[in-house]
Amino acid sequence: MWPGQSGYPTSDNQSGTTSSPPQFPNPGSYAPPPNPPAYNPMHAAAPSIPSHGSPAPRGFGFPPPVSRDNHPGHHHNSGYPGQFAGNYAPPQGPPIPYAPPPGPPSQYPPPPDPRNYPPPPGPPGPPPGRQGPPSQYPPPPGPPRNYPPPAGPPRGYGAPPPQMSGGYAYTAPSGPPQRPPQQQQFYGPQMQGPNQIQQSSFQYSQCNGKKKALCIGINYVGQKEELRGCINDANNMKRFLSAQFGYKEEDMVILTDDARDPRQIPTQQNILRAMEWLVRDARPNDSLFFHYSGHGGQTKDLDGDEEDGYDEVIYPVDFKVKGHIVDDLMHDIMVKRLPAGCRLTAIFDSCHSGSALDLPYIYSTEGKVKEPNLAAEAGQSLMSAATSYARGDMGGVFSSVTGFIKTASGGRKADTISKTTKTSPADCISWSGCKDSQTSADTQEAGRATGAMSYAFIKALGENPQQSYQQLLVSIRATLKAKYSQKPQLSSSHPMDTNILFIA
């Protein structure tokens, strides 16, 4: 927050851490008929700090772009109804004074003489559609000549059934996106608890409660890893949140390395304290906003929740002394502590940031949950195996195939661990500048230094504020596609409907 503002955190406390078919009743002593019933077809059976991003040209005399990548030495890389009366017995024979009936009552007309019926039009054959038409039957003549072809499906037919992904159905929106539903949302398998059936749930935030924001921009001024657009990103996001979503300046903390107040310098300690301030006293329908623009990187995963084996990290301005901040810690502080129905919107404009908040549900531009990407690993391993085979290196063949098996198994295991340990009933959303394996650009737009992701997010929502999550993801990618290779990502702490309106 700016000098003189109240509410800035001062606490030193940091968290590190099919059922069977119906049975018809026995009809008592009912005896079956002596002969089987006549054939009826209806009863028949049916058939060094690298860059903050990908290089982008710089104008207005700026030096070549510097990436927002990690520092040197960092590791790169889901009965028959109404049964017979019980005492009923079949008759023992006709009564002794039995005589044939005198005939139909006089008021009934006599039956017609069968001899007046014409012969059938042809020999009987098998039922149509069972064994094929008999040879003596001509083929169907087809529709009358004056019958026009159908113009299309009947008007009552709608779009095709929704596609499924990971057990969740998604359909394209048919009109303007709707606001999030207010009721509790249930998903996943049902489990029998001690007193009732239990099921996972979450609640969308209506974002009409308290609004708080934390914006961090680090240019690493005076260091060889210096960037140019991150401080601008933090200030631009602050102004955008105030104008677009009604955030108040006194409820916003801005950390930049050009600040005069030492509490506003983005050191590791100040960043962690500000994260704790952001989520303190959070309640349902509150809206919290976290924005980070600076260097990002990766380090070895220690708890098995990463498909690629690496955790994502961000770098405070004093990282050379204090080190990085890992995604597990950010998740513990800013996600785990939130109640159901509280919104956290996070934006990471940094390299290797696809899963920087460790939210387990990542979405494609079609609004579907992405599954572990094993196809690419298979292709790389098989190519390596083929190359080794061509050289006669059977050891290399074995190593490549074995490596893929381990990676595939690890990817599925990591996805399970992530969904089991990182799913939250809170309404947490993360927008990141690129995939975990990519870099994010520190560039220039409209003559000013900026991060590509921060610029695209503000531009997309500024041009059209009424967008669904899916539409906004598509808009952000479209803004960057012409100049940058990075692919922004959308992730959440629970399975969500990406067709609802994005609010913050």
Side-chain angles (χ1 to χ4, degrees):
M1 86 174 35
W2 300 112
Q5 295 170 351
S6 62
Y8 187 79
T10 58
S11 169
D12 289 328
N13 180 31
Q14 301 178 20
S15 172
T17 56
T18 0
S19 65
S20 60
Q23 300 297 316
F24 299 110
N26 192 328
S29 56
Y30 172 81
N35 296 314
Y39 173 77
N40 186 341
M42 295 302 291
H43 297 164
S48 80
I49 288 197
S51 78
H52 173 43
S54 51
R58 291 181 180 265
F60 304 87
F62 281 93
V66 183
S67 80
R68 299 181 179 183
D69 206 345
N70 47 304
H71 64 77
H74 100 281
H75 297 278
H76 279 284
N77 336 356
S78 168
Y80 170 75
Q83 75 175 49
F84 296 102
N87 298 327
Y88 179 85
Q92 303 300 316
I96 295 176
Y98 175 83
S106 57
Q107 66 268 28
Y108 281 44
D113 189 343
R115 291 174 292 180
N116 295 331
Y117 281 104
R130 296 290 181 182
Q131 302 175 6
S135 57
Q136 64 269 32
Y137 285 175
R145 295 181 180 179
N146 57 349
Y147 182 79
R155 294 181 181 178
Y157 281 33
Q163 296 179 342
M164 301 294 292
S165 176
Y168 305 103
Y170 296 89
T171 56
S174 57
Q178 302 296 311
R179 287 186 61 87
Q182 299 184 26
Q183 63 270 28
Q184 190 175 13
Q185 306 293 304
F186 295 89
Y187 66 96
Q190 296 182 344
M191 306 293 291
Q192 182 63 54
N195 299 317
Q196 60 183 358
I197 295 178
Q198 298 177 343
Q199 191 176 17
S200 298
S201 67
F202 67 93
Q203 188 172 346
Y204 291 111
S205 175
Q206 301 304 304
C207 297
N208 53 11
K210 182 76 171 179
K211 292 179 181 287
K212 298 168 68 176
L214 168 59
C215 299
I216 304 170
I218 313 177
N219 278 358
Y220 309 89
V221 177
Q223 304 184 42
K224 67 176 182 179
E225 303 85 11
E226 185 171 352
L227 300 172
R228 294 184 178 274
C230 301
I231 294 177
N232 288 341
D233 291 342
N235 292 321
N236 290 340
M237 192 62 68
K238 173 193 172 184
R239 289 189 291 267
F240 177 76
L241 292 176
S242 297
Q244 190 75 29
F245 296 111
Y247 284 71
K248 299 178 181 179
E249 185 171 339
E250 59 266 25
D251 295 321
M252 303 173 73
V253 168
I254 312 299
L255 303 183
T256 57
D257 45 353
D258 65 346
R260 297 181 179 180
D261 187 335
R263 298 175 302 169
Q264 293 182 265
I265 301 296
T267 62
Q268 184 193 69
Q269 184 181 51
N270 285 344
I271 291 176
L272 293 176
R273 284 181 175 178
M275 288 179 178
E276 292 177 349
W277 164 84
L278 181 65
V279 301
R280 188 178 301 142
D281 300 324
R283 298 178 181 179
N285 294 321
D286 283 355
S287 184
L288 314 178
F289 202 100
F290 173 84
H291 171 248
Y292 171 81
S293 180
H295 280 305
Q298 293 180 303
T299 190
K300 189 68 176 178
D301 174 35
L302 302 179
D303 57 8
D305 65 341
E306 298 285 351
E307 180 184 342
D308 60 359
Y310 291 93
D311 279 324
E312 285 63 52
V313 303
I314 61 173
Y315 291 95
V317 69
D318 59 347
F319 72 90
K320 293 180 180 178
V321 176
K322 297 294 185 178
H324 54 240
I325 300 175
V326 72
D327 54 6
D328 295 312
L329 178 56
M330 290 188 285
H331 182 97
D332 287 345
I333 296 176
M334 294 193 292
V335 177
K336 278 190 176 180
R337 300 183 184 184
L338 297 180
C342 180
R343 158 61 63 83
L344 171 69
T345 303
I347 297 180
F348 289 88
D349 194 351
S350 55
C351 297
H352 311 292
S353 56
S355 60
L357 199 55
D358 265 359
L359 302 184
Y361 298 90
I362 303 177
Y363 295 86
S364 70
T365 52
E366 296 176 347
K368 301 175 183 178
V369 177
K370 293 183 178 181
E371 303 297 339
N373 185 14
L374 305 180
E377 296 287 347
Q380 295 173 1
S381 297
L382 292 176
M383 181 177 294
S384 177
T387 303
S388 298
Y389 183 83
R391 297 196 308 261
D393 180 10
M394 299 311 295
V397 173
F398 177 79
S399 176
S400 297
V401 173
T402 302
F404 165 67
I405 294 174
K406 291 181 178 180
T407 301
S409 176
R412 294 190 184 96
K413 181 180 179 181
D415 183 67
T416 300
I417 293 175
S418 178
K419 286 184 169 63
T420 302
T421 63
K422 301 299 175 70
T423 296
S424 169
D427 192 17
C428 301
I429 307 298
S430 177
W431 301 92
S432 55
C434 59
K435 296 181 178 180
D436 283 342
S437 59
Q438 294 180 317
T439 58
S440 283
D442 186 43
T443 186
Q444 273 198 358
E445 293 290 347
R448 288 177 58 86
T450 182
M453 176 62 190
S454 300
Y455 166 79
F457 182 85
I458 294 174
K459 182 176 186 294
L461 275 177
E463 293 177 349
N464 181 11
Q466 301 296 310
Q467 297 192 64
S468 68
Y469 289 88
Q470 179 184 356
Q471 291 168 339
L472 183 54
L473 178 60
V474 172
S475 298
I476 292 172
R477 287 195 178 187
T479 300
L480 299 180
K481 185 176 181 180
K483 296 173 61 176
Y484 310 101
S485 61
Q486 66 192 77
K487 293 184 178 181
Q489 304 290 299
L490 167 64
S491 58
S492 67
S493 60
H494 52 71
M496 65 177 293
D497 180 0
T498 57
N499 291 327
I500 62 176
L501 179 68
F502 169 75
I503 56 178

